[in-house]
Amino acid sequence: MEQRLKDKVALVTGGGRGIGAAIATRLSKEGAKVWIADIDQSLAESVAGTLEAARHAAVDITDDASVAALAAAIDQRHGRLDVLVNNAAILDMTSWKALTIESFAAVHDVNLFGAVRVTLAMVPLMRKAGGGRILNIASVNGLKGSRDSLSYSTAKGGIVNLTRCLASELSPDNITVNALAPGFISTRMSIHPDGTVEHESDWFNYIYVKHRKIPLARGGVPDDVAGPAFFFCSDDSRYVTGQILPVDGGMIATL
């Protein structure tokens, strides 16, 4: 591999599994020194152990002190940060009838405020680097309405507009800010509470595969997201900022 990110320092939140782990792996293969942050230290350590020049950290992105400690650790070791991937999130499928302010706030504290909190802490390190790339992981749910997804979808919608606003705010610092909006990706989030797997369900195969509501006629896997992520984290995207790219097999095109 050409290693287009050689000697760059990257941070991936929620990097212990799924999309985060796939992105961290791709950035590492491209030469980046990757910090894998996850609330589950064992998961972060497991992924870091498979990569070259990777480090792991247990981080709670809802806690200011935890995020500040991570920023201090990166600063002490590298004195800079070139790439930030705000990926950490939780899924919530609470229906409107069961919604409470407390449950709504809890989802936003991770999925939206967490990204803001991490960005605030890491931008000074990106300024030290003379600029950099921020990639936020939104969702197609942040681009459309959906039943039983009010908390999750509105938080991801917030990520969409956070991306656009930050692109304007941080452009004087030579920092680009973009987002990916994944569709149906096979991760832990695709496993329903009853243990069934979303992509293996009859309704998914009937609507999205047989009738090609997803034109590519399949659900995605984390590696499908890692390639577009690399583009936004590399200098290939140096003249791209404030953009939201669906990674959904074409699903948004059929709405």
Side-chain angles (χ1 to χ4, degrees):
M1 191 166 282
E2 192 176 347
Q3 292 204 319
R4 301 280 302 282
L5 298 179
K6 187 172 177 58
D7 297 327
K8 299 290 187 182
V9 180
L11 167 64
V12 181
T13 67
R17 66 178 77 181
I19 290 172
I23 292 174
T25 299
R26 178 61 187 273
L27 299 185
S28 176
K29 288 180 178 178
E30 294 286 355
K33 301 171 183 177
V34 182
W35 284 70
I36 299 167
D38 202 288
I39 195 168
D40 188 327
Q41 182 169 348
S42 63
L43 290 176
E45 185 175 3
S46 177
V47 174
T50 67
L51 306 177
E52 185 176 348
R55 301 184 68 82
H56 61 87
V59 178
D60 179 356
I61 64 171
T62 69
D63 181 78
D64 290 341
S66 182
V67 173
L70 174 61
I74 295 173
D75 191 18
Q76 182 177 22
R77 185 165 187 86
H78 306 288
R80 62 186 287 153
L81 182 68
D82 302 283
V83 175
L84 167 60
V85 180
N86 284 311
N87 167 74
I90 57 174
L91 181 65
D92 182 87
M93 301 300 289
T94 303
S95 69
W96 166 253
K97 292 180 179 179
L99 187 74
T100 65
I101 289 296
E102 290 75 18
S103 66
F104 184 84
V107 172
H108 280 67
D109 199 21
V110 177
N111 292 6
L112 180 54
F113 297 163
V116 174
R117 189 175 285 110
V118 173
T119 302
L120 284 170
M122 300 303 162
V123 163
L125 296 182
M126 303 188 89
R127 290 191 180 115
K128 284 187 176 184
R133 311 273 178 256
I134 296 177
L135 176 64
N136 297 322
I137 306 302
S139 168
V140 293
N141 283 52
L143 302 174
K144 64 183 183 68
S146 179
R147 293 185 62 183
D148 296 336
S149 182
L150 193 150
S151 298
Y152 181 81
S153 294
T154 56
K156 289 300 188 178
I159 289 290
V160 167
N161 225 32
L162 173 68
T163 298
R164 293 168 175 153
C165 291
L166 284 176
S168 178
E169 295 280 1
L170 298 178
S171 59
D173 297 305
N174 195 32
I175 297 172
T176 62
V177 189
N178 294 286
L180 299 179
F184 288 101
I185 306 296
S186 182
T187 67
R188 183 174 60 98
M189 286 188 180
S190 65
I191 302 174
H192 293 163
D194 63 3
T196 60
V197 180
E198 198 166 51
H199 299 162
E200 298 174 359
S201 65
D202 291 339
W203 66 266
F204 182 89
N205 285 311
Y206 182 78
I207 296 172
Y208 293 102
V209 178
K210 181 179 179 180
H211 291 281
R212 289 192 178 262
K213 188 68 173 176
I214 294 177
L216 293 184
R218 67 173 177 87
V221 296
D223 277 347
D224 291 325
V225 185
F230 167 69
F231 167 73
F232 281 123
C233 293
S234 75
D235 284 344
D236 283 356
S237 63
R238 62 187 176 274
Y239 196 58
V240 182
T241 195
Q243 301 305 305
I244 317 299
L245 176 65
V247 184
D248 62 354
M251 181 175 67
I252 286 291
T254 68
L255 292 180

